[in-house]
Amino acid sequence: MSSITQHYQPNETLWQKIEDTLTQSDIDPDTQLNSNLLAPIDQLHIGGRQATQALLHQVDLKAGCHILEIGSGLGGTARLITETLPCHITAIDITPDFCEAHQAINQRMSLNNIQVICADACDAQVQTGSQDVIISQHTLINIPDKTTLLKTLADSLKPGGSFLLHEVIAGSNKEPIKLPVPWASDISHSHLPDKDELIALFASAGFRLERFTDVTETALTWRKKHTQREAGNNQQGSTQAASPLNPGIIFGERFLTMGKNVMANLADNKVSVVEAVFVRSENP
Ligand SMILES: C[S@@+](CC[C@H](N)C(=O)[O-])C[C@H]1O[C@@H](n2cnc3c(N)ncnc32)[C@H](O)[C@@H]1O
């Protein structure tokens, strides 16, 4: 098992834990699963579901389109898309336990247009030129060889196709980040380019930058609110507070420290959160 897989999969019982937690709260996992219940664990990035919705609004996704998501986690983004759009999604993730839970959830929710593949996105065997859109949220951070990754992904995208990115990058403060964070137990898991390096990596793989938005302020506000909630100061009306599921199911007690560290890293400008749209050149 790779080191990054161990970070996300400290034990092999995630789906069982999800089922047990729901059952203990009198929620039937076979019939009552929904996106509100799952959001605390299937939107495993800074900004939660609002951030995903903002990202998806960046392009006009068409019915019948083919979407490749890399680092799909428990599948929240893929399901959010299929709630409103008939399309074909290929969801790739390297962590077996996440893929198993993703598939189990889709099955319980009777969703059959998401194909889940457990693989390293750098070796993804996706048919060349078959995808209209690629989506990645907080996954490039875990991948040291972004040159290989982006070349593989450029090959799988149709010319003119879009790459939607929601990512953590290095901020202006070059001091070491506080660890652990949800994407890294130690520094060997965290690979953060700065803005210029990120754009150069995409350019050398044949992608043109169409839009780039720094969403760090929004991300920090969201993280502060959730750190307060996790410390026991619940906010009325939060969908996450209404669910018995929380990221501690994945990360254990260290999630409290992870959340605080993300907040400090954002506040100290050690990391930024960005949304970007890249377009695959017609002649890469
Ligand atoms: C921070 S989580 C984000 C999950 C999901 N994108 C979300 O926002 O809910 C990062 C994900 O990337 C996956 N990942 C890391 N390295 C990967 C690789 N080389 N290939 C495929 N998936 C990878 C991890 O297993 C994990 O599910």
Side-chain angles (χ1 to χ4, degrees):
M1 193 186 289
S2 77
S3 168
I4 195 61
T5 304
Q6 276 170 347
H7 166 72
Y8 288 110
Q9 183 167 298
N11 60 66
E12 305 208 346
T13 57
L14 179 59
W15 172 241
Q16 189 63 53
K17 277 199 206 168
I18 295 171
E19 276 196 306
D20 291 348
T21 307
L22 291 171
T23 309
Q24 281 157 19
S25 300
D26 292 327
I27 297 166
D28 182 350
D30 286 332
T31 57
Q32 290 179 278
L33 276 183
N34 62 53
S35 55
N36 282 342
L37 284 172
L38 292 164
I41 56 169
D42 77 359
Q43 299 287 330
L44 212 54
H45 48 256
I46 309 166
R49 202 162 24 171
Q50 298 97 306
T52 303
Q53 276 157 340
L55 183 71
L56 296 177
H57 279 123
Q58 300 287 324
V59 287
D60 185 16
L61 294 173
K62 301 235 180 329
C65 69
H66 287 77
I67 299 172
L68 171 65
E69 187 187 6
I70 60 153
S72 45
L74 296 182
T77 296
R79 284 187 294 276
L80 202 60
I81 297 170
T82 54
E83 269 175 18
T84 54
L85 188 77
C87 59
H88 312 276
I89 303 186
T90 305
I92 295 179
D93 200 285
I94 201 169
T95 303
D97 213 21
F98 281 5
C99 294
E100 187 205 351
H102 183 174
Q103 279 170 317
I105 294 166
N106 291 351
Q107 204 183 6
R108 300 308 189 281
M109 293 175 76
S110 304
L111 297 172
N112 45 27
N113 50 356
I114 303 170
Q115 183 191 12
V116 182
I117 300 177
C118 189
D120 184 335
C122 298
D123 336 305
Q125 299 290 313
V126 179
Q127 203 189 345
T128 303
S130 61
Q131 303 298 318
D132 297 290
V133 175
I134 294 177
I135 299 178
S136 172
Q137 292 180 279
H138 292 35
T139 297
L140 268 58
I141 33 178
N142 285 143
I143 300 182
D145 183 2
K146 298 189 205 332
T147 301
T148 301
L149 173 77
L150 294 177
K151 285 202 179 342
T152 306
L153 296 179
D155 285 347
S156 68
L157 195 59
K158 289 179 184 165
S162 301
F163 191 131
L164 294 186
L165 181 71
H166 174 214
E167 196 51 275
V168 181
I169 62 171
S172 54
N173 178 350
K174 301 298 176 199
E175 284 172 30
I177 63 169
K178 275 194 168 183
L179 291 162
V181 286
W183 66 88
S185 299
D186 61 57
I187 201 63
S188 71
H189 299 146
S190 184
H191 307 280
L192 306 177
D194 64 21
K195 177 183 174 182
D196 293 342
E197 289 163 343
L198 181 79
I199 294 172
L201 280 162
F202 271 86
S204 65
F207 290 97
R208 160 176 69 74
L209 178 64
E210 186 166 280
R211 217 167 303 141
F212 191 93
T213 315
D214 189 317
V215 293
T216 307
E217 278 306 314
T218 312
L220 180 56
T221 305
W222 182 92
R223 189 57 252 167
K224 279 182 180 162
K225 187 177 107 188
H226 285 269
T227 298
Q228 257 195 345
R229 182 178 56 73
E230 285 147 16
N233 307 325
N234 243 331
Q235 305 256 328
Q236 292 271 324
S238 158
T239 54
Q240 296 213 357
S243 174
L245 301 172
N246 66 69
I249 287 182
I250 298 166
F251 296 113
E253 284 180 10
R254 64 194 172 136
F255 184 70
L256 287 180
T257 309
M258 289 174 164
K260 285 184 198 157
N261 287 345
V262 170
M263 194 169 76
N265 290 325
L266 286 166
D268 295 343
N269 297 317
K270 292 182 181 173
V271 300
S272 300
V273 183
V274 299
E275 243 179 47
V277 181
F278 293 91
V279 174
R280 189 194 153 187
S281 311
E282 300 286 335
N283 300 305

PDB file of all heavy atoms in Angstrom, residues 2 20 38 46 55 60 63 70 86 111 127 131 136 150 157 162-163 196-197 201 208 221 224 237 247 259 271 276:
ATOM      1  N   SER A   2       0.592   2.226  -0.876  1.00  0.00           N
ATOM      2  CA  SER A   2       1.445   3.417  -0.947  1.00  0.00           C
ATOM      3  C   SER A   2       1.246   4.269   0.295  1.00  0.00           C
ATOM      4  O   SER A   2       0.249   4.153   1.003  1.00  0.00           O
ATOM      5  CB  SER A   2       1.109   4.228  -2.200  1.00  0.00           C
ATOM      6  OG  SER A   2      -0.081   4.950  -1.988  1.00  0.00           O
ATOM      7  N   ASP A  20     -22.456   1.739  10.165  1.00  0.00           N
ATOM      8  CA  ASP A  20     -22.697   1.632  11.608  1.00  0.00           C
ATOM      9  C   ASP A  20     -23.122   2.985  12.186  1.00  0.00           C
ATOM     10  O   ASP A  20     -24.043   3.063  12.999  1.00  0.00           O
ATOM     11  CB  ASP A  20     -21.433   1.151  12.333  1.00  0.00           C
ATOM     12  CG  ASP A  20     -21.105  -0.294  11.998  1.00  0.00           C
ATOM     13  OD1 ASP A  20     -21.967  -0.977  11.406  1.00  0.00           O
ATOM     14  OD2 ASP A  20     -19.977  -0.739  12.315  1.00  0.00           O
ATOM     15  N   LEU A  38     -24.209  12.970   3.558  1.00  0.00           N
ATOM     16  CA  LEU A  38     -22.858  12.573   3.145  1.00  0.00           C
ATOM     17  C   LEU A  38     -21.868  13.734   3.044  1.00  0.00           C
ATOM     18  O   LEU A  38     -20.647  13.523   3.073  1.00  0.00           O
ATOM     19  CB  LEU A  38     -22.939  11.853   1.784  1.00  0.00           C
ATOM     20  CG  LEU A  38     -23.644  10.490   1.814  1.00  0.00           C
ATOM     21  CD1 LEU A  38     -24.017  10.050   0.406  1.00  0.00           C
ATOM     22  CD2 LEU A  38     -22.734   9.446   2.469  1.00  0.00           C
ATOM     23  N   ILE A  46     -11.536  21.993   1.075  1.00  0.00           N
ATOM     24  CA  ILE A  46     -11.864  23.232   1.788  1.00  0.00           C
ATOM     25  C   ILE A  46     -12.990  23.935   1.018  1.00  0.00           C
ATOM     26  O   ILE A  46     -12.871  24.152  -0.189  1.00  0.00           O
ATOM     27  CB  ILE A  46     -10.628  24.153   1.897  1.00  0.00           C
ATOM     28  CG1 ILE A  46      -9.429  23.382   2.453  1.00  0.00           C
ATOM     29  CG2 ILE A  46     -10.947  25.375   2.754  1.00  0.00           C
ATOM     30  CD1 ILE A  46      -8.095  24.112   2.286  1.00  0.00           C
ATOM     31  N   LEU A  55     -17.364  25.668  -8.597  1.00  0.00           N
ATOM     32  CA  LEU A  55     -16.464  25.135  -9.628  1.00  0.00           C
ATOM     33  C   LEU A  55     -17.267  24.650 -10.846  1.00  0.00           C
ATOM     34  O   LEU A  55     -16.921  24.945 -11.993  1.00  0.00           O
ATOM     35  CB  LEU A  55     -15.641  23.973  -9.044  1.00  0.00           C
ATOM     36  CG  LEU A  55     -14.606  23.369  -9.974  1.00  0.00           C
ATOM     37  CD1 LEU A  55     -13.443  24.342 -10.182  1.00  0.00           C
ATOM     38  CD2 LEU A  55     -14.067  22.052  -9.416  1.00  0.00           C
ATOM     39  N   ASP A  60     -20.201  25.096 -19.010  1.00  0.00           N
ATOM     40  CA  ASP A  60     -21.551  24.682 -19.361  1.00  0.00           C
ATOM     41  C   ASP A  60     -21.510  23.172 -19.624  1.00  0.00           C
ATOM     42  O   ASP A  60     -21.172  22.746 -20.725  1.00  0.00           O
ATOM     43  CB  ASP A  60     -21.956  25.475 -20.620  1.00  0.00           C
ATOM     44  CG  ASP A  60     -23.385  25.217 -21.003  1.00  0.00           C
ATOM     45  OD1 ASP A  60     -24.141  24.698 -20.152  1.00  0.00           O
ATOM     46  OD2 ASP A  60     -23.739  25.516 -22.152  1.00  0.00           O
ATOM     47  N   ALA A  63     -25.736  17.743 -21.359  1.00  0.00           N
ATOM     48  CA  ALA A  63     -26.290  16.392 -21.203  1.00  0.00           C
ATOM     49  C   ALA A  63     -25.542  15.439 -22.129  1.00  0.00           C
ATOM     50  O   ALA A  63     -25.236  15.793 -23.275  1.00  0.00           O
ATOM     51  CB  ALA A  63     -27.776  16.415 -21.548  1.00  0.00           C
ATOM     52  N   ILE A  70     -10.567  12.991 -11.313  1.00  0.00           N
ATOM     53  CA  ILE A  70      -9.428  12.291 -10.690  1.00  0.00           C
ATOM     54  C   ILE A  70      -9.398  12.631  -9.195  1.00  0.00           C
ATOM     55  O   ILE A  70      -9.708  13.740  -8.782  1.00  0.00           O
ATOM     56  CB  ILE A  70      -8.086  12.632 -11.367  1.00  0.00           C
ATOM     57  CG1 ILE A  70      -7.781  14.129 -11.299  1.00  0.00           C
ATOM     58  CG2 ILE A  70      -8.062  12.123 -12.792  1.00  0.00           C
ATOM     59  CD1 ILE A  70      -6.303  14.416 -11.323  1.00  0.00           C
ATOM     60  N   PRO A  86     -27.843  14.224 -16.975  1.00  0.00           N
ATOM     61  CA  PRO A  86     -27.554  12.870 -17.462  1.00  0.00           C
ATOM     62  C   PRO A  86     -26.219  12.895 -18.217  1.00  0.00           C
ATOM     63  O   PRO A  86     -26.086  13.580 -19.224  1.00  0.00           O
ATOM     64  CB  PRO A  86     -28.732  12.571 -18.411  1.00  0.00           C
ATOM     65  CG  PRO A  86     -29.320  13.897 -18.760  1.00  0.00           C
ATOM     66  CD  PRO A  86     -28.879  14.915 -17.752  1.00  0.00           C
ATOM     67  N   LEU A 111     -27.517   4.871  -8.462  1.00  0.00           N
ATOM     68  CA  LEU A 111     -26.850   5.665  -9.498  1.00  0.00           C
ATOM     69  C   LEU A 111     -25.945   4.730 -10.289  1.00  0.00           C
ATOM     70  O   LEU A 111     -25.034   4.134  -9.720  1.00  0.00           O
ATOM     71  CB  LEU A 111     -26.003   6.777  -8.851  1.00  0.00           C
ATOM     72  CG  LEU A 111     -26.777   7.802  -8.047  1.00  0.00           C
ATOM     73  CD1 LEU A 111     -25.822   8.717  -7.294  1.00  0.00           C
ATOM     74  CD2 LEU A 111     -27.674   8.627  -8.962  1.00  0.00           C
ATOM     75  N   GLN A 127      -9.585   5.984 -22.393  1.00  0.00           N
ATOM     76  CA  GLN A 127      -9.454   6.055 -23.852  1.00  0.00           C
ATOM     77  C   GLN A 127      -9.010   7.451 -24.307  1.00  0.00           C
ATOM     78  O   GLN A 127      -9.582   8.457 -23.897  1.00  0.00           O
ATOM     79  CB  GLN A 127     -10.813   5.712 -24.458  1.00  0.00           C
ATOM     80  CG  GLN A 127     -10.721   5.220 -25.867  1.00  0.00           C
ATOM     81  CD  GLN A 127     -12.113   5.109 -26.470  1.00  0.00           C
ATOM     82  OE1 GLN A 127     -13.120   5.129 -25.770  1.00  0.00           O
ATOM     83  NE2 GLN A 127     -12.160   4.997 -27.769  1.00  0.00           N
ATOM     84  N   GLN A 131     -12.735  12.288 -23.352  1.00  0.00           N
ATOM     85  CA  GLN A 131     -13.410  13.064 -22.303  1.00  0.00           C
ATOM     86  C   GLN A 131     -13.693  14.509 -22.745  1.00  0.00           C
ATOM     87  O   GLN A 131     -12.858  15.145 -23.378  1.00  0.00           O
ATOM     88  CB  GLN A 131     -12.548  13.089 -21.032  1.00  0.00           C
ATOM     89  CG  GLN A 131     -12.196  11.720 -20.491  1.00  0.00           C
ATOM     90  CD  GLN A 131     -13.423  10.918 -20.079  1.00  0.00           C
ATOM     91  OE1 GLN A 131     -14.356  11.439 -19.476  1.00  0.00           O
ATOM     92  NE2 GLN A 131     -13.429   9.630 -20.410  1.00  0.00           N
ATOM     93  N   SER A 136     -10.815  18.067 -11.044  1.00  0.00           N
ATOM     94  CA  SER A 136      -9.917  17.648  -9.959  1.00  0.00           C
ATOM     95  C   SER A 136     -10.040  18.630  -8.804  1.00  0.00           C
ATOM     96  O   SER A 136      -9.903  19.841  -8.988  1.00  0.00           O
ATOM     97  CB  SER A 136      -8.480  17.613 -10.469  1.00  0.00           C
ATOM     98  OG  SER A 136      -7.606  17.386  -9.391  1.00  0.00           O
ATOM     99  N   LEU A 150      -0.301  15.384 -15.909  1.00  0.00           N
ATOM    100  CA  LEU A 150      -1.002  16.316 -16.806  1.00  0.00           C
ATOM    101  C   LEU A 150      -0.887  15.890 -18.266  1.00  0.00           C
ATOM    102  O   LEU A 150      -1.807  16.092 -19.050  1.00  0.00           O
ATOM    103  CB  LEU A 150      -0.491  17.748 -16.597  1.00  0.00           C
ATOM    104  CG  LEU A 150      -0.832  18.320 -15.201  1.00  0.00           C
ATOM    105  CD1 LEU A 150      -0.244  19.708 -15.017  1.00  0.00           C
ATOM    106  CD2 LEU A 150      -2.352  18.358 -14.987  1.00  0.00           C
ATOM    107  N   LEU A 157      -8.304  13.963 -22.822  1.00  0.00           N
ATOM    108  CA  LEU A 157      -9.300  15.033 -23.044  1.00  0.00           C
ATOM    109  C   LEU A 157      -9.416  15.351 -24.536  1.00  0.00           C
ATOM    110  O   LEU A 157      -8.414  15.386 -25.252  1.00  0.00           O
ATOM    111  CB  LEU A 157      -8.812  16.281 -22.278  1.00  0.00           C
ATOM    112  CG  LEU A 157      -9.778  17.432 -22.032  1.00  0.00           C
ATOM    113  CD1 LEU A 157     -11.008  16.985 -21.242  1.00  0.00           C
ATOM    114  CD2 LEU A 157      -9.050  18.550 -21.265  1.00  0.00           C
ATOM    115  N   SER A 162     -12.329  21.046 -21.359  1.00  0.00           N
ATOM    116  CA  SER A 162     -11.946  21.871 -20.191  1.00  0.00           C
ATOM    117  C   SER A 162     -11.456  21.031 -19.022  1.00  0.00           C
ATOM    118  O   SER A 162     -11.971  19.933 -18.779  1.00  0.00           O
ATOM    119  CB  SER A 162     -13.154  22.663 -19.680  1.00  0.00           C
ATOM    120  OG  SER A 162     -13.651  23.474 -20.689  1.00  0.00           O
ATOM    121  N   PHE A 163     -10.519  21.570 -18.297  1.00  0.00           N
ATOM    122  CA  PHE A 163     -10.021  20.974 -17.047  1.00  0.00           C
ATOM    123  C   PHE A 163     -10.426  21.929 -15.927  1.00  0.00           C
ATOM    124  O   PHE A 163      -9.959  23.064 -15.865  1.00  0.00           O
ATOM    125  CB  PHE A 163      -8.500  20.847 -17.145  1.00  0.00           C
ATOM    126  CG  PHE A 163      -7.868  20.008 -16.051  1.00  0.00           C
ATOM    127  CD1 PHE A 163      -6.969  19.004 -16.389  1.00  0.00           C
ATOM    128  CD2 PHE A 163      -8.150  20.213 -14.706  1.00  0.00           C
ATOM    129  CE1 PHE A 163      -6.370  18.227 -15.397  1.00  0.00           C
ATOM    130  CE2 PHE A 163      -7.569  19.439 -13.720  1.00  0.00           C
ATOM    131  CZ  PHE A 163      -6.673  18.448 -14.070  1.00  0.00           C
ATOM    132  N   ASP A 196       2.477  30.523 -10.328  1.00  0.00           N
ATOM    133  CA  ASP A 196       3.219  30.545 -11.599  1.00  0.00           C
ATOM    134  C   ASP A 196       3.667  29.140 -11.995  1.00  0.00           C
ATOM    135  O   ASP A 196       3.610  28.765 -13.171  1.00  0.00           O
ATOM    136  CB  ASP A 196       4.448  31.460 -11.496  1.00  0.00           C
ATOM    137  CG  ASP A 196       4.030  32.912 -11.335  1.00  0.00           C
ATOM    138  OD1 ASP A 196       2.854  33.225 -11.645  1.00  0.00           O
ATOM    139  OD2 ASP A 196       4.870  33.723 -10.895  1.00  0.00           O
ATOM    140  N   GLU A 197       4.118  28.372 -10.993  1.00  0.00           N
ATOM    141  CA  GLU A 197       4.553  26.991 -11.299  1.00  0.00           C
ATOM    142  C   GLU A 197       3.371  26.147 -11.798  1.00  0.00           C
ATOM    143  O   GLU A 197       3.510  25.355 -12.724  1.00  0.00           O
ATOM    144  CB  GLU A 197       5.158  26.338 -10.046  1.00  0.00           C
ATOM    145  CG  GLU A 197       6.519  26.916  -9.675  1.00  0.00           C
ATOM    146  CD  GLU A 197       6.949  26.588  -8.238  1.00  0.00           C
ATOM    147  OE1 GLU A 197       6.101  26.193  -7.405  1.00  0.00           O
ATOM    148  OE2 GLU A 197       8.144  26.765  -7.952  1.00  0.00           O
ATOM    149  N   LEU A 201       3.135  24.341 -15.410  1.00  0.00           N
ATOM    150  CA  LEU A 201       2.971  22.885 -15.537  1.00  0.00           C
ATOM    151  C   LEU A 201       1.846  22.553 -16.520  1.00  0.00           C
ATOM    152  O   LEU A 201       1.986  21.680 -17.380  1.00  0.00           O
ATOM    153  CB  LEU A 201       2.641  22.272 -14.170  1.00  0.00           C
ATOM    154  CG  LEU A 201       3.809  22.043 -13.222  1.00  0.00           C
ATOM    155  CD1 LEU A 201       3.309  21.854 -11.787  1.00  0.00           C
ATOM    156  CD2 LEU A 201       4.609  20.808 -13.661  1.00  0.00           C
ATOM    157  N   ARG A 208      -4.206  25.678 -22.075  1.00  0.00           N
ATOM    158  CA  ARG A 208      -4.223  27.144 -22.027  1.00  0.00           C
ATOM    159  C   ARG A 208      -5.089  27.567 -20.837  1.00  0.00           C
ATOM    160  O   ARG A 208      -6.148  26.987 -20.606  1.00  0.00           O
ATOM    161  CB  ARG A 208      -4.820  27.621 -23.369  1.00  0.00           C
ATOM    162  CG  ARG A 208      -5.362  28.992 -23.429  1.00  0.00           C
ATOM    163  CD  ARG A 208      -5.828  29.318 -24.856  1.00  0.00           C
ATOM    164  NE  ARG A 208      -7.016  28.585 -25.290  1.00  0.00           N
ATOM    165  CZ  ARG A 208      -8.247  28.842 -24.860  1.00  0.00           C
ATOM    166  NH1 ARG A 208      -8.469  29.776 -23.954  1.00  0.00           N
ATOM    167  NH2 ARG A 208      -9.278  28.153 -25.336  1.00  0.00           N
ATOM    168  N   THR A 221     -12.897  31.694   5.582  1.00  0.00           N
ATOM    169  CA  THR A 221     -14.157  31.916   6.314  1.00  0.00           C
ATOM    170  C   THR A 221     -14.858  30.584   6.567  1.00  0.00           C
ATOM    171  O   THR A 221     -15.330  30.306   7.675  1.00  0.00           O
ATOM    172  CB  THR A 221     -15.085  32.854   5.486  1.00  0.00           C
ATOM    173  OG1 THR A 221     -14.363  34.028   5.203  1.00  0.00           O
ATOM    174  CG2 THR A 221     -16.371  33.169   6.227  1.00  0.00           C
ATOM    175  N   LYS A 224     -12.916  28.584   9.222  1.00  0.00           N
ATOM    176  CA  LYS A 224     -13.104  29.115  10.593  1.00  0.00           C
ATOM    177  C   LYS A 224     -14.430  28.626  11.158  1.00  0.00           C
ATOM    178  O   LYS A 224     -14.513  28.195  12.302  1.00  0.00           O
ATOM    179  CB  LYS A 224     -13.104  30.653  10.561  1.00  0.00           C
ATOM    180  CG  LYS A 224     -11.725  31.263  10.508  1.00  0.00           C
ATOM    181  CD  LYS A 224     -11.842  32.772  10.525  1.00  0.00           C
ATOM    182  CE  LYS A 224     -10.475  33.417  10.476  1.00  0.00           C
ATOM    183  NZ  LYS A 224     -10.530  34.826  10.073  1.00  0.00           N
ATOM    184  N   GLY A 237     -28.411  25.614  11.817  1.00  0.00           N
ATOM    185  CA  GLY A 237     -28.708  25.604  10.386  1.00  0.00           C
ATOM    186  C   GLY A 237     -27.626  24.994   9.526  1.00  0.00           C
ATOM    187  O   GLY A 237     -27.771  24.928   8.316  1.00  0.00           O
ATOM    188  N   PRO A 247     -15.672  14.035   9.230  1.00  0.00           N
ATOM    189  CA  PRO A 247     -14.395  13.537   8.685  1.00  0.00           C
ATOM    190  C   PRO A 247     -13.582  12.720   9.682  1.00  0.00           C
ATOM    191  O   PRO A 247     -12.645  12.017   9.300  1.00  0.00           O
ATOM    192  CB  PRO A 247     -13.648  14.819   8.293  1.00  0.00           C
ATOM    193  CG  PRO A 247     -14.719  15.855   8.163  1.00  0.00           C
ATOM    194  CD  PRO A 247     -15.783  15.496   9.144  1.00  0.00           C
ATOM    195  N   GLY A 259      -7.886  20.293  10.963  1.00  0.00           N
ATOM    196  CA  GLY A 259      -8.726  21.452  10.636  1.00  0.00           C
ATOM    197  C   GLY A 259      -8.106  22.747  11.137  1.00  0.00           C
ATOM    198  O   GLY A 259      -8.056  23.753  10.419  1.00  0.00           O
ATOM    199  N   VAL A 271      -0.615  28.756   2.480  1.00  0.00           N
ATOM    200  CA  VAL A 271      -1.307  28.106   1.365  1.00  0.00           C
ATOM    201  C   VAL A 271      -2.419  29.032   0.863  1.00  0.00           C
ATOM    202  O   VAL A 271      -2.917  29.879   1.613  1.00  0.00           O
ATOM    203  CB  VAL A 271      -1.924  26.729   1.743  1.00  0.00           C
ATOM    204  CG1 VAL A 271      -0.868  25.750   2.207  1.00  0.00           C
ATOM    205  CG2 VAL A 271      -3.024  26.869   2.792  1.00  0.00           C
ATOM    206  N   ALA A 276      -9.614  27.138 -11.085  1.00  0.00           N
ATOM    207  CA  ALA A 276      -9.105  27.515 -12.406  1.00  0.00           C
ATOM    208  C   ALA A 276      -9.767  26.671 -13.487  1.00  0.00           C
ATOM    209  O   ALA A 276     -10.219  25.554 -13.235  1.00  0.00           O
ATOM    210  CB  ALA A 276      -7.589  27.333 -12.462  1.00  0.00           C
TER     211      ALA A 276
END
